[in-house]
Amino acid sequence: MKTIKFSDFSKLDIKTGTITDVKRHSNADKLYIVQVDVGSKTLQTVTSLVPYYREEELTGKSVVVLCNLEKMKMRGEVSECMLLCAETDDESESVLLTPERLMGNGVQIV
């Protein structure tokens, strides 16, 4: 594994957030369109969590979010952040990273 400098890590804007809305992508079996409140704003992400979580399990969940990811379109929907997960190599499990204790939205991960 390649190492990085701390200055590279410090470029990542990782914050706590709360999932406020989840809907199935109308044109993709494994994708959700998710709204995440990260304190100062709400960001949208397109995420492949359908095999691992039901919509009602995600709504209201506290999560860890990479906020300064370059925007991209996934199946026609804008994705502007990334929910951080731990995922097995064979993709049989994917688990959202969550704060150990309830933190306010927008708290910086260091």
Side-chain angles (χ1 to χ4, degrees), residues 38-103:
V38 293
S40 60
K41 58 187 167 185
T42 297
L43 298 173
Q44 177 170 289
T45 186
V46 179
T47 184
S48 58
L49 290 173
V50 170
Y52 311 106
Y53 291 91
R54 294 183 318 274
E55 291 174 54
E56 59 271 14
E57 289 178 292
L58 293 173
T59 304
K61 192 165 191 67
S62 294
V63 290
V64 177
V65 186
L66 175 59
C67 298
N68 63 335
L69 190 63
E70 185 176 3
K71 290 181 185 179
M72 62 182 287
K73 282 212 172 188
M74 295 179 66
R75 294 282 184 112
E77 292 288 338
V78 173
S79 189
E80 56 188 343
C81 65
M82 180 183 287
L83 301 176
L84 299 186
C85 299
E87 189 168 271
T88 56
D89 287 339
D90 67 358
E91 299 179 6
S92 63
E93 286 191 75
S94 187
V95 178
L96 283 165
L97 299 184
T98 60
E100 179 181 343
R101 288 185 288 229
L102 188 59
M103 301 291 285

